[in-house]
Structure formats: structure tokens, C-alpha cells
Amino acid sequence: MKTTVFYDGQCGLCAKEINYYKKIAPPGLFEWQDITQTTEGLEQVGINYIEALRYLHVIDELGYIYRGVESFLVIWKQLPRWRILAAFVGLPLIRPAVNVLYEQFAQWRFKRLNHCQLAKKEY
């Protein structure tokens, strides 16, 4: 089973970052799912669409679901040169601070993107 990455393809920053990861990732390692194109994968694993728009989600090869910073750590640990960042961000004193920053960024991004606000009204 591949690691599945659920991302917001309508977010310019998100799409740019994921496209970069796609270019550098070893072939066949990840399954990339743009949740703005299909929510089928989300529904199969019980991830709420609004939460998926708000935070990056990853399901590893064992079926564990990660959200936010933890998702990035799963991705980075599998990418050449990014493993160092994963190790640094994963440090006990660093991880909580990065989680707070990511939470603030995720909320800010969600509030300013029209497609997120439209989805919030629909769901």
C-alpha cells in the first residue's frame, strides 16, 4: 500500500508545494489525491471534507491517518534531503511550536480561500 496524501489542489500554495514533492518523490511511493477533484478517498477512510480542506492529511502504508504537521513529517521522512527537516521538526521542543504555527496558518488560509468558505457553507 502506498502512502496517500490528501491535499487542496485549489490552494495555490498547497498545489505548488505538492507538485514539488511529486517531482522529487521516488516513483510509486505516494498516491496524490486532490480533494477538490474527488472526495471518494476521504469518504472511504472517514476524513471530513472540511477538515481535509483545512489541514493536510496523509495515510501511511499501515493505514494510520496523520493530520497537519504530522502529515508533513510522514512525507518528508520519505524524501531525499527532506529527512533532515523531518528530524529537526520532530524534536520534542520544536514540534509543539511548529504545530502552533501550522494551526494558525491553516486557519488563516482556510478563512481567506473562497472555495473553502463555499464548502463550509455546503457541509
Side-chain angles (χ1 to χ4, degrees), residues 67-92:
R67 186 191 93 152
V69 171
E70 302 303 319
S71 296
F72 285 102
L73 292 176
V74 170
I75 295 168
W76 294 342
K77 286 177 183 177
Q78 298 181 64
L79 296 176
R81 299 187 200 129
W82 286 83
R83 290 180 185 106
I84 295 168
L85 181 61
F88 176 74
V89 171
L91 291 171

mmCIF file with all atom_site columns, all heavy atoms in Angstrom, residues 67-92:
data_model
loop_
_atom_site.group_PDB
_atom_site.id
_atom_site.type_symbol
_atom_site.label_atom_id
_atom_site.label_alt_id
_atom_site.label_comp_id
_atom_site.label_asym_id
_atom_site.label_entity_id
_atom_site.label_seq_id
_atom_site.pdbx_PDB_ins_code
_atom_site.Cartn_x
_atom_site.Cartn_y
_atom_site.Cartn_z
_atom_site.occupancy
_atom_site.B_iso_or_equiv
_atom_site.pdbx_formal_charge
_atom_site.auth_seq_id
_atom_site.auth_comp_id
_atom_site.auth_asym_id
_atom_site.auth_atom_id
_atom_site.pdbx_PDB_model_num
ATOM 1   N N   . ARG A 1 67 ? -2.476 14.177 10.409 1.00 0.00 ? 67 ARG A N   1
ATOM 2   C CA  . ARG A 1 67 ? -3.067 15.465 10.079 1.00 0.00 ? 67 ARG A CA  1
ATOM 3   C C   . ARG A 1 67 ? -2.064 16.571 10.361 1.00 0.00 ? 67 ARG A C   1
ATOM 4   O O   . ARG A 1 67 ? -1.326 16.507 11.338 1.00 0.00 ? 67 ARG A O   1
ATOM 5   C CB  . ARG A 1 67 ? -4.312 15.676 10.927 1.00 0.00 ? 67 ARG A CB  1
ATOM 6   C CG  . ARG A 1 67 ? -5.103 16.923 10.583 1.00 0.00 ? 67 ARG A CG  1
ATOM 7   C CD  . ARG A 1 67 ? -6.129 17.161 11.641 1.00 0.00 ? 67 ARG A CD  1
ATOM 8   N NE  . ARG A 1 67 ? -5.502 18.068 12.599 1.00 0.00 ? 67 ARG A NE  1
ATOM 9   C CZ  . ARG A 1 67 ? -6.127 18.925 13.354 1.00 0.00 ? 67 ARG A CZ  1
ATOM 10  N NH1 . ARG A 1 67 ? -7.433 18.964 13.356 1.00 0.00 ? 67 ARG A NH1 1
ATOM 11  N NH2 . ARG A 1 67 ? -5.487 19.719 14.152 1.00 0.00 ? 67 ARG A NH2 1
ATOM 12  N N   . GLY A 1 68 ? -2.052 17.584 9.516  1.00 0.00 ? 68 GLY A N   1
ATOM 13  C CA  . GLY A 1 68 ? -1.225 18.759 9.759  1.00 0.00 ? 68 GLY A CA  1
ATOM 14  C C   . GLY A 1 68 ? 0.262  18.471 9.706  1.00 0.00 ? 68 GLY A C   1
ATOM 15  O O   . GLY A 1 68 ? 0.751  17.796 8.808  1.00 0.00 ? 68 GLY A O   1
ATOM 16  N N   . VAL A 1 69 ? 0.979  18.974 10.696 1.00 0.00 ? 69 VAL A N   1
ATOM 17  C CA  . VAL A 1 69 ? 2.436  18.829 10.745 1.00 0.00 ? 69 VAL A CA  1
ATOM 18  C C   . VAL A 1 69 ? 2.840  17.359 10.689 1.00 0.00 ? 69 VAL A C   1
ATOM 19  O O   . VAL A 1 69 ? 3.812  16.999 10.023 1.00 0.00 ? 69 VAL A O   1
ATOM 20  C CB  . VAL A 1 69 ? 3.010  19.510 12.006 1.00 0.00 ? 69 VAL A CB  1
ATOM 21  C CG1 . VAL A 1 69 ? 4.486  19.193 12.182 1.00 0.00 ? 69 VAL A CG1 1
ATOM 22  C CG2 . VAL A 1 69 ? 2.798  21.023 11.932 1.00 0.00 ? 69 VAL A CG2 1
ATOM 23  N N   . GLU A 1 70 ? 2.085  16.517 11.359 1.00 0.00 ? 70 GLU A N   1
ATOM 24  C CA  . GLU A 1 70 ? 2.399  15.087 11.347 1.00 0.00 ? 70 GLU A CA  1
ATOM 25  C C   . GLU A 1 70 ? 2.378  14.531 9.915  1.00 0.00 ? 70 GLU A C   1
ATOM 26  O O   . GLU A 1 70 ? 3.171  13.651 9.576  1.00 0.00 ? 70 GLU A O   1
ATOM 27  C CB  . GLU A 1 70 ? 1.430  14.312 12.239 1.00 0.00 ? 70 GLU A CB  1
ATOM 28  C CG  . GLU A 1 70 ? 1.415  14.772 13.681 1.00 0.00 ? 70 GLU A CG  1
ATOM 29  C CD  . GLU A 1 70 ? 2.781  14.713 14.363 1.00 0.00 ? 70 GLU A CD  1
ATOM 30  O OE1 . GLU A 1 70 ? 3.517  13.734 14.150 1.00 0.00 ? 70 GLU A OE1 1
ATOM 31  O OE2 . GLU A 1 70 ? 3.107  15.654 15.102 1.00 0.00 ? 70 GLU A OE2 1
ATOM 32  N N   . SER A 1 71 ? 1.488  15.065 9.076  1.00 0.00 ? 71 SER A N   1
ATOM 33  C CA  . SER A 1 71 ? 1.429  14.653 7.668  1.00 0.00 ? 71 SER A CA  1
ATOM 34  C C   . SER A 1 71 ? 2.708  15.029 6.935  1.00 0.00 ? 71 SER A C   1
ATOM 35  O O   . SER A 1 71 ? 3.248  14.243 6.163  1.00 0.00 ? 71 SER A O   1
ATOM 36  C CB  . SER A 1 71 ? 0.239  15.312 6.963  1.00 0.00 ? 71 SER A CB  1
ATOM 37  O OG  . SER A 1 71 ? -0.967 14.869 7.512  1.00 0.00 ? 71 SER A OG  1
ATOM 38  N N   . PHE A 1 72 ? 3.161  16.249 7.179  1.00 0.00 ? 72 PHE A N   1
ATOM 39  C CA  . PHE A 1 72 ? 4.405  16.684 6.545  1.00 0.00 ? 72 PHE A CA  1
ATOM 40  C C   . PHE A 1 72 ? 5.573  15.809 6.976  1.00 0.00 ? 72 PHE A C   1
ATOM 41  O O   . PHE A 1 72 ? 6.428  15.450 6.159  1.00 0.00 ? 72 PHE A O   1
ATOM 42  C CB  . PHE A 1 72 ? 4.695  18.153 6.864  1.00 0.00 ? 72 PHE A CB  1
ATOM 43  C CG  . PHE A 1 72 ? 3.822  19.097 6.104  1.00 0.00 ? 72 PHE A CG  1
ATOM 44  C CD1 . PHE A 1 72 ? 2.739  19.698 6.718  1.00 0.00 ? 72 PHE A CD1 1
ATOM 45  C CD2 . PHE A 1 72 ? 4.074  19.393 4.771  1.00 0.00 ? 72 PHE A CD2 1
ATOM 46  C CE1 . PHE A 1 72 ? 1.914  20.568 6.026  1.00 0.00 ? 72 PHE A CE1 1
ATOM 47  C CE2 . PHE A 1 72 ? 3.254  20.256 4.063  1.00 0.00 ? 72 PHE A CE2 1
ATOM 48  C CZ  . PHE A 1 72 ? 2.177  20.854 4.690  1.00 0.00 ? 72 PHE A CZ  1
ATOM 49  N N   . LEU A 1 73 ? 5.608  15.440 8.244  1.00 0.00 ? 73 LEU A N   1
ATOM 50  C CA  . LEU A 1 73 ? 6.695  14.588 8.728  1.00 0.00 ? 73 LEU A CA  1
ATOM 51  C C   . LEU A 1 73 ? 6.703  13.242 8.005  1.00 0.00 ? 73 LEU A C   1
ATOM 52  O O   . LEU A 1 73 ? 7.765  12.737 7.645  1.00 0.00 ? 73 LEU A O   1
ATOM 53  C CB  . LEU A 1 73 ? 6.596  14.396 10.239 1.00 0.00 ? 73 LEU A CB  1
ATOM 54  C CG  . LEU A 1 73 ? 6.851  15.643 11.082 1.00 0.00 ? 73 LEU A CG  1
ATOM 55  C CD1 . LEU A 1 73 ? 6.633  15.342 12.561 1.00 0.00 ? 73 LEU A CD1 1
ATOM 56  C CD2 . LEU A 1 73 ? 8.224  16.220 10.841 1.00 0.00 ? 73 LEU A CD2 1
ATOM 57  N N   . VAL A 1 74 ? 5.523  12.679 7.787  1.00 0.00 ? 74 VAL A N   1
ATOM 58  C CA  . VAL A 1 74 ? 5.434  11.401 7.069  1.00 0.00 ? 74 VAL A CA  1
ATOM 59  C C   . VAL A 1 74 ? 5.994  11.565 5.651  1.00 0.00 ? 74 VAL A C   1
ATOM 60  O O   . VAL A 1 74 ? 6.761  10.728 5.172  1.00 0.00 ? 74 VAL A O   1
ATOM 61  C CB  . VAL A 1 74 ? 3.976  10.884 7.022  1.00 0.00 ? 74 VAL A CB  1
ATOM 62  C CG1 . VAL A 1 74 ? 3.840  9.691  6.088  1.00 0.00 ? 74 VAL A CG1 1
ATOM 63  C CG2 . VAL A 1 74 ? 3.498  10.532 8.425  1.00 0.00 ? 74 VAL A CG2 1
ATOM 64  N N   . ILE A 1 75 ? 5.623  12.656 4.991  1.00 0.00 ? 75 ILE A N   1
ATOM 65  C CA  . ILE A 1 75 ? 6.105  12.907 3.625  1.00 0.00 ? 75 ILE A CA  1
ATOM 66  C C   . ILE A 1 75 ? 7.612  13.150 3.633  1.00 0.00 ? 75 ILE A C   1
ATOM 67  O O   . ILE A 1 75 ? 8.362  12.507 2.887  1.00 0.00 ? 75 ILE A O   1
ATOM 68  C CB  . ILE A 1 75 ? 5.370  14.109 2.995  1.00 0.00 ? 75 ILE A CB  1
ATOM 69  C CG1 . ILE A 1 75 ? 3.887  13.802 2.809  1.00 0.00 ? 75 ILE A CG1 1
ATOM 70  C CG2 . ILE A 1 75 ? 6.014  14.501 1.659  1.00 0.00 ? 75 ILE A CG2 1
ATOM 71  C CD1 . ILE A 1 75 ? 3.032  15.020 2.472  1.00 0.00 ? 75 ILE A CD1 1
ATOM 72  N N   . TRP A 1 76 ? 8.057  14.073 4.463  1.00 0.00 ? 76 TRP A N   1
ATOM 73  C CA  . TRP A 1 76 ? 9.472  14.469 4.469  1.00 0.00 ? 76 TRP A CA  1
ATOM 74  C C   . TRP A 1 76 ? 10.404 13.313 4.807  1.00 0.00 ? 76 TRP A C   1
ATOM 75  O O   . TRP A 1 76 ? 11.505 13.223 4.267  1.00 0.00 ? 76 TRP A O   1
ATOM 76  C CB  . TRP A 1 76 ? 9.700  15.606 5.451  1.00 0.00 ? 76 TRP A CB  1
ATOM 77  C CG  . TRP A 1 76 ? 9.024  16.884 5.090  1.00 0.00 ? 76 TRP A CG  1
ATOM 78  C CD1 . TRP A 1 76 ? 8.531  17.251 3.869  1.00 0.00 ? 76 TRP A CD1 1
ATOM 79  C CD2 . TRP A 1 76 ? 8.751  17.971 5.966  1.00 0.00 ? 76 TRP A CD2 1
ATOM 80  N NE1 . TRP A 1 76 ? 7.959  18.496 3.940  1.00 0.00 ? 76 TRP A NE1 1
ATOM 81  C CE2 . TRP A 1 76 ? 8.084  18.972 5.219  1.00 0.00 ? 76 TRP A CE2 1
ATOM 82  C CE3 . TRP A 1 76 ? 8.999  18.201 7.311  1.00 0.00 ? 76 TRP A CE3 1
ATOM 83  C CZ2 . TRP A 1 76 ? 7.682  20.172 5.769  1.00 0.00 ? 76 TRP A CZ2 1
ATOM 84  C CZ3 . TRP A 1 76 ? 8.599  19.402 7.876  1.00 0.00 ? 76 TRP A CZ3 1
ATOM 85  C CH2 . TRP A 1 76 ? 7.949  20.381 7.105  1.00 0.00 ? 76 TRP A CH2 1
ATOM 86  N N   . LYS A 1 77 ? 9.979  12.427 5.685  1.00 0.00 ? 77 LYS A N   1
ATOM 87  C CA  . LYS A 1 77 ? 10.830 11.287 6.060  1.00 0.00 ? 77 LYS A CA  1
ATOM 88  C C   . LYS A 1 77 ? 11.110 10.368 4.880  1.00 0.00 ? 77 LYS A C   1
ATOM 89  O O   . LYS A 1 77 ? 12.063 9.592  4.913  1.00 0.00 ? 77 LYS A O   1
ATOM 90  C CB  . LYS A 1 77 ? 10.173 10.490 7.192  1.00 0.00 ? 77 LYS A CB  1
ATOM 91  C CG  . LYS A 1 77 ? 10.243 11.181 8.525  1.00 0.00 ? 77 LYS A CG  1
ATOM 92  C CD  . LYS A 1 77 ? 9.508  10.387 9.590  1.00 0.00 ? 77 LYS A CD  1
ATOM 93  C CE  . LYS A 1 77 ? 9.530  11.123 10.915 1.00 0.00 ? 77 LYS A CE  1
ATOM 94  N NZ  . LYS A 1 77 ? 8.766  10.395 11.956 1.00 0.00 ? 77 LYS A NZ  1
ATOM 95  N N   . GLN A 1 78 ? 10.288 10.458 3.847  1.00 0.00 ? 78 GLN A N   1
ATOM 96  C CA  . GLN A 1 78 ? 10.443 9.580  2.688  1.00 0.00 ? 78 GLN A CA  1
ATOM 97  C C   . GLN A 1 78 ? 11.100 10.270 1.487  1.00 0.00 ? 78 GLN A C   1
ATOM 98  O O   . GLN A 1 78 ? 11.281 9.643  0.447  1.00 0.00 ? 78 GLN A O   1
ATOM 99  C CB  . GLN A 1 78 ? 9.072  9.030  2.286  1.00 0.00 ? 78 GLN A CB  1
ATOM 100 C CG  . GLN A 1 78 ? 8.454  8.195  3.396  1.00 0.00 ? 78 GLN A CG  1
ATOM 101 C CD  . GLN A 1 78 ? 7.117  7.636  3.001  1.00 0.00 ? 78 GLN A CD  1
ATOM 102 O OE1 . GLN A 1 78 ? 7.022  6.828  2.087  1.00 0.00 ? 78 GLN A OE1 1
ATOM 103 N NE2 . GLN A 1 78 ? 6.073  8.066  3.697  1.00 0.00 ? 78 GLN A NE2 1
ATOM 104 N N   . LEU A 1 79 ? 11.434 11.544 1.645  1.00 0.00 ? 79 LEU A N   1
ATOM 105 C CA  . LEU A 1 79 ? 12.011 12.305 0.540  1.00 0.00 ? 79 LEU A CA  1
ATOM 106 C C   . LEU A 1 79 ? 13.487 12.592 0.781  1.00 0.00 ? 79 LEU A C   1
ATOM 107 O O   . LEU A 1 79 ? 13.872 13.027 1.874  1.00 0.00 ? 79 LEU A O   1
ATOM 108 C CB  . LEU A 1 79 ? 11.273 13.639 0.355  1.00 0.00 ? 79 LEU A CB  1
ATOM 109 C CG  . LEU A 1 79 ? 9.811  13.550 -0.037 1.00 0.00 ? 79 LEU A CG  1
ATOM 110 C CD1 . LEU A 1 79 ? 9.195  14.940 -0.078 1.00 0.00 ? 79 LEU A CD1 1
ATOM 111 C CD2 . LEU A 1 79 ? 9.657  12.845 -1.372 1.00 0.00 ? 79 LEU A CD2 1
ATOM 112 N N   . PRO A 1 80 ? 14.300 12.366 -0.256 1.00 0.00 ? 80 PRO A N   1
ATOM 113 C CA  . PRO A 1 80 ? 15.720 12.700 -0.118 1.00 0.00 ? 80 PRO A CA  1
ATOM 114 C C   . PRO A 1 80 ? 15.886 14.167 0.282  1.00 0.00 ? 80 PRO A C   1
ATOM 115 O O   . PRO A 1 80 ? 15.140 15.028 -0.163 1.00 0.00 ? 80 PRO A O   1
ATOM 116 C CB  . PRO A 1 80 ? 16.281 12.463 -1.520 1.00 0.00 ? 80 PRO A CB  1
ATOM 117 C CG  . PRO A 1 80 ? 15.279 11.597 -2.205 1.00 0.00 ? 80 PRO A CG  1
ATOM 118 C CD  . PRO A 1 80 ? 13.954 11.884 -1.573 1.00 0.00 ? 80 PRO A CD  1
ATOM 119 N N   . ARG A 1 81 ? 16.837 14.433 1.113  1.00 0.00 ? 81 ARG A N   1
ATOM 120 C CA  . ARG A 1 81 ? 17.200 15.768 1.606  1.00 0.00 ? 81 ARG A CA  1
ATOM 121 C C   . ARG A 1 81 ? 16.178 16.377 2.563  1.00 0.00 ? 81 ARG A C   1
ATOM 122 O O   . ARG A 1 81 ? 16.491 17.313 3.264  1.00 0.00 ? 81 ARG A O   1
ATOM 123 C CB  . ARG A 1 81 ? 17.487 16.731 0.461  1.00 0.00 ? 81 ARG A CB  1
ATOM 124 C CG  . ARG A 1 81 ? 18.634 16.271 -0.390 1.00 0.00 ? 81 ARG A CG  1
ATOM 125 C CD  . ARG A 1 81 ? 19.004 17.324 -1.407 1.00 0.00 ? 81 ARG A CD  1
ATOM 126 N NE  . ARG A 1 81 ? 19.740 16.672 -2.464 1.00 0.00 ? 81 ARG A NE  1
ATOM 127 C CZ  . ARG A 1 81 ? 19.478 16.786 -3.742 1.00 0.00 ? 81 ARG A CZ  1
ATOM 128 N NH1 . ARG A 1 81 ? 18.524 17.575 -4.160 1.00 0.00 ? 81 ARG A NH1 1
ATOM 129 N NH2 . ARG A 1 81 ? 20.193 16.141 -4.623 1.00 0.00 ? 81 ARG A NH2 1
ATOM 130 N N   . TRP A 1 82 ? 14.960 15.886 2.580  1.00 0.00 ? 82 TRP A N   1
ATOM 131 C CA  . TRP A 1 82 ? 13.937 16.420 3.474  1.00 0.00 ? 82 TRP A CA  1
ATOM 132 C C   . TRP A 1 82 ? 13.924 15.676 4.796  1.00 0.00 ? 82 TRP A C   1
ATOM 133 O O   . TRP A 1 82 ? 13.290 16.110 5.751  1.00 0.00 ? 82 TRP A O   1
ATOM 134 C CB  . TRP A 1 82 ? 12.567 16.362 2.795  1.00 0.00 ? 82 TRP A CB  1
ATOM 135 C CG  . TRP A 1 82 ? 12.446 17.417 1.748  1.00 0.00 ? 82 TRP A CG  1
ATOM 136 C CD1 . TRP A 1 82 ? 12.888 17.353 0.456  1.00 0.00 ? 82 TRP A CD1 1
ATOM 137 C CD2 . TRP A 1 82 ? 11.883 18.716 1.899  1.00 0.00 ? 82 TRP A CD2 1
ATOM 138 N NE1 . TRP A 1 82 ? 12.627 18.524 -0.198 1.00 0.00 ? 82 TRP A NE1 1
ATOM 139 C CE2 . TRP A 1 82 ? 12.002 19.383 0.668  1.00 0.00 ? 82 TRP A CE2 1
ATOM 140 C CE3 . TRP A 1 82 ? 11.275 19.369 2.960  1.00 0.00 ? 82 TRP A CE3 1
ATOM 141 C CZ2 . TRP A 1 82 ? 11.543 20.673 0.480  1.00 0.00 ? 82 TRP A CZ2 1
ATOM 142 C CZ3 . TRP A 1 82 ? 10.811 20.658 2.757  1.00 0.00 ? 82 TRP A CZ3 1
ATOM 143 C CH2 . TRP A 1 82 ? 10.957 21.288 1.527  1.00 0.00 ? 82 TRP A CH2 1
ATOM 144 N N   . ARG A 1 83 ? 14.617 14.560 4.862  1.00 0.00 ? 83 ARG A N   1
ATOM 145 C CA  . ARG A 1 83 ? 14.656 13.778 6.103  1.00 0.00 ? 83 ARG A CA  1
ATOM 146 C C   . ARG A 1 83 ? 15.279 14.581 7.245  1.00 0.00 ? 83 ARG A C   1
ATOM 147 O O   . ARG A 1 83 ? 14.895 14.423 8.401  1.00 0.00 ? 83 ARG A O   1
ATOM 148 C CB  . ARG A 1 83 ? 15.434 12.488 5.876  1.00 0.00 ? 83 ARG A CB  1
ATOM 149 C CG  . ARG A 1 83 ? 14.708 11.515 4.980  1.00 0.00 ? 83 ARG A CG  1
ATOM 150 C CD  . ARG A 1 83 ? 15.497 10.231 4.763  1.00 0.00 ? 83 ARG A CD  1
ATOM 151 N NE  . ARG A 1 83 ? 14.794 9.412  3.817  1.00 0.00 ? 83 ARG A NE  1
ATOM 152 C CZ  . ARG A 1 83 ? 15.172 9.232  2.553  1.00 0.00 ? 83 ARG A CZ  1
ATOM 153 N NH1 . ARG A 1 83 ? 16.265 9.804  2.093  1.00 0.00 ? 83 ARG A NH1 1
ATOM 154 N NH2 . ARG A 1 83 ? 14.456 8.470  1.750  1.00 0.00 ? 83 ARG A NH2 1
ATOM 155 N N   . ILE A 1 84 ? 16.220 15.443 6.910  1.00 0.00 ? 84 ILE A N   1
ATOM 156 C CA  . ILE A 1 84 ? 16.863 16.275 7.936  1.00 0.00 ? 84 ILE A CA  1
ATOM 157 C C   . ILE A 1 84 ? 15.839 17.231 8.547  1.00 0.00 ? 84 ILE A C   1
ATOM 158 O O   . ILE A 1 84 ? 15.776 17.390 9.762  1.00 0.00 ? 84 ILE A O   1
ATOM 159 C CB  . ILE A 1 84 ? 18.059 17.046 7.338  1.00 0.00 ? 84 ILE A CB  1
ATOM 160 C CG1 . ILE A 1 84 ? 19.124 16.048 6.898  1.00 0.00 ? 84 ILE A CG1 1
ATOM 161 C CG2 . ILE A 1 84 ? 18.611 18.056 8.327  1.00 0.00 ? 84 ILE A CG2 1
ATOM 162 C CD1 . ILE A 1 84 ? 20.225 16.647 6.044  1.00 0.00 ? 84 ILE A CD1 1
ATOM 163 N N   . LEU A 1 85 ? 15.025 17.854 7.698  1.00 0.00 ? 85 LEU A N   1
ATOM 164 C CA  . LEU A 1 85 ? 13.984 18.750 8.205  1.00 0.00 ? 85 LEU A CA  1
ATOM 165 C C   . LEU A 1 85 ? 12.982 17.969 9.059  1.00 0.00 ? 85 LEU A C   1
ATOM 166 O O   . LEU A 1 85 ? 12.556 18.451 10.107 1.00 0.00 ? 85 LEU A O   1
ATOM 167 C CB  . LEU A 1 85 ? 13.265 19.461 7.057  1.00 0.00 ? 85 LEU A CB  1
ATOM 168 C CG  . LEU A 1 85 ? 12.170 20.441 7.475  1.00 0.00 ? 85 LEU A CG  1
ATOM 169 C CD1 . LEU A 1 85 ? 12.752 21.563 8.342  1.00 0.00 ? 85 LEU A CD1 1
ATOM 170 C CD2 . LEU A 1 85 ? 11.478 21.016 6.257  1.00 0.00 ? 85 LEU A CD2 1
ATOM 171 N N   . ALA A 1 86 ? 12.628 16.778 8.620  1.00 0.00 ? 86 ALA A N   1
ATOM 172 C CA  . ALA A 1 86 ? 11.698 15.950 9.392  1.00 0.00 ? 86 ALA A CA  1
ATOM 173 C C   . ALA A 1 86 ? 12.271 15.648 10.771 1.00 0.00 ? 86 ALA A C   1
ATOM 174 O O   . ALA A 1 86 ? 11.560 15.727 11.777 1.00 0.00 ? 86 ALA A O   1
ATOM 175 C CB  . ALA A 1 86 ? 11.391 14.653 8.648  1.00 0.00 ? 86 ALA A CB  1
ATOM 176 N N   . ALA A 1 87 ? 13.551 15.318 10.832 1.00 0.00 ? 87 ALA A N   1
ATOM 177 C CA  . ALA A 1 87 ? 14.188 15.028 12.117 1.00 0.00 ? 87 ALA A CA  1
ATOM 178 C C   . ALA A 1 87 ? 14.195 16.268 13.010 1.00 0.00 ? 87 ALA A C   1
ATOM 179 O O   . ALA A 1 87 ? 13.906 16.180 14.209 1.00 0.00 ? 87 ALA A O   1
ATOM 180 C CB  . ALA A 1 87 ? 15.601 14.516 11.897 1.00 0.00 ? 87 ALA A CB  1
ATOM 181 N N   . PHE A 1 88 ? 14.487 17.429 12.433 1.00 0.00 ? 88 PHE A N   1
ATOM 182 C CA  . PHE A 1 88 ? 14.529 18.669 13.201 1.00 0.00 ? 88 PHE A CA  1
ATOM 183 C C   . PHE A 1 88 ? 13.139 19.040 13.719 1.00 0.00 ? 88 PHE A C   1
ATOM 184 O O   . PHE A 1 88 ? 12.952 19.310 14.902 1.00 0.00 ? 88 PHE A O   1
ATOM 185 C CB  . PHE A 1 88 ? 15.113 19.803 12.356 1.00 0.00 ? 88 PHE A CB  1
ATOM 186 C CG  . PHE A 1 88 ? 15.100 21.129 13.052 1.00 0.00 ? 88 PHE A CG  1
ATOM 187 C CD1 . PHE A 1 88 ? 15.991 21.393 14.079 1.00 0.00 ? 88 PHE A CD1 1
ATOM 188 C CD2 . PHE A 1 88 ? 14.185 22.106 12.694 1.00 0.00 ? 88 PHE A CD2 1
ATOM 189 C CE1 . PHE A 1 88 ? 15.974 22.613 14.745 1.00 0.00 ? 88 PHE A CE1 1
ATOM 190 C CE2 . PHE A 1 88 ? 14.156 23.322 13.344 1.00 0.00 ? 88 PHE A CE2 1
ATOM 191 C CZ  . PHE A 1 88 ? 15.050 23.579 14.376 1.00 0.00 ? 88 PHE A CZ  1
ATOM 192 N N   . VAL A 1 89 ? 12.150 19.054 12.818 1.00 0.00 ? 89 VAL A N   1
ATOM 193 C CA  . VAL A 1 89 ? 10.792 19.429 13.212 1.00 0.00 ? 89 VAL A CA  1
ATOM 194 C C   . VAL A 1 89 ? 10.215 18.431 14.203 1.00 0.00 ? 89 VAL A C   1
ATOM 195 O O   . VAL A 1 89 ? 9.407  18.793 15.057 1.00 0.00 ? 89 VAL A O   1
ATOM 196 C CB  . VAL A 1 89 ? 9.880  19.578 11.967 1.00 0.00 ? 89 VAL A CB  1
ATOM 197 C CG1 . VAL A 1 89 ? 8.425  19.759 12.358 1.00 0.00 ? 89 VAL A CG1 1
ATOM 198 C CG2 . VAL A 1 89 ? 10.349 20.751 11.110 1.00 0.00 ? 89 VAL A CG2 1
ATOM 199 N N   . GLY A 1 90 ? 10.653 17.201 14.129 1.00 0.00 ? 90 GLY A N   1
ATOM 200 C CA  . GLY A 1 90 ? 10.159 16.174 15.035 1.00 0.00 ? 90 GLY A CA  1
ATOM 201 C C   . GLY A 1 90 ? 10.735 16.227 16.440 1.00 0.00 ? 90 GLY A C   1
ATOM 202 O O   . GLY A 1 90 ? 10.293 15.489 17.318 1.00 0.00 ? 90 GLY A O   1
ATOM 203 N N   . LEU A 1 91 ? 11.717 17.101 16.677 1.00 0.00 ? 91 LEU A N   1
ATOM 204 C CA  . LEU A 1 91 ? 12.316 17.205 18.009 1.00 0.00 ? 91 LEU A CA  1
ATOM 205 C C   . LEU A 1 91 ? 11.277 17.652 19.045 1.00 0.00 ? 91 LEU A C   1
ATOM 206 O O   . LEU A 1 91 ? 10.407 18.476 18.735 1.00 0.00 ? 91 LEU A O   1
ATOM 207 C CB  . LEU A 1 91 ? 13.487 18.191 17.991 1.00 0.00 ? 91 LEU A CB  1
ATOM 208 C CG  . LEU A 1 91 ? 14.727 17.732 17.224 1.00 0.00 ? 91 LEU A CG  1
ATOM 209 C CD1 . LEU A 1 91 ? 15.724 18.889 17.099 1.00 0.00 ? 91 LEU A CD1 1
ATOM 210 C CD2 . LEU A 1 91 ? 15.374 16.531 17.897 1.00 0.00 ? 91 LEU A CD2 1
ATOM 211 N N   . PRO A 1 92 ? 11.388 17.138 20.264 1.00 0.00 ? 92 PRO A N   1
ATOM 212 C CA  . PRO A 1 92 ? 10.380 17.427 21.293 1.00 0.00 ? 92 PRO A CA  1
ATOM 213 C C   . PRO A 1 92 ? 10.144 18.913 21.576 1.00 0.00 ? 92 PRO A C   1
ATOM 214 O O   . PRO A 1 92 ? 9.025  19.296 21.886 1.00 0.00 ? 92 PRO A O   1
ATOM 215 C CB  . PRO A 1 92 ? 10.940 16.730 22.538 1.00 0.00 ? 92 PRO A CB  1
ATOM 216 C CG  . PRO A 1 92 ? 11.827 15.662 22.010 1.00 0.00 ? 92 PRO A CG  1
ATOM 217 C CD  . PRO A 1 92 ? 12.394 16.182 20.723 1.00 0.00 ? 92 PRO A CD  1
#
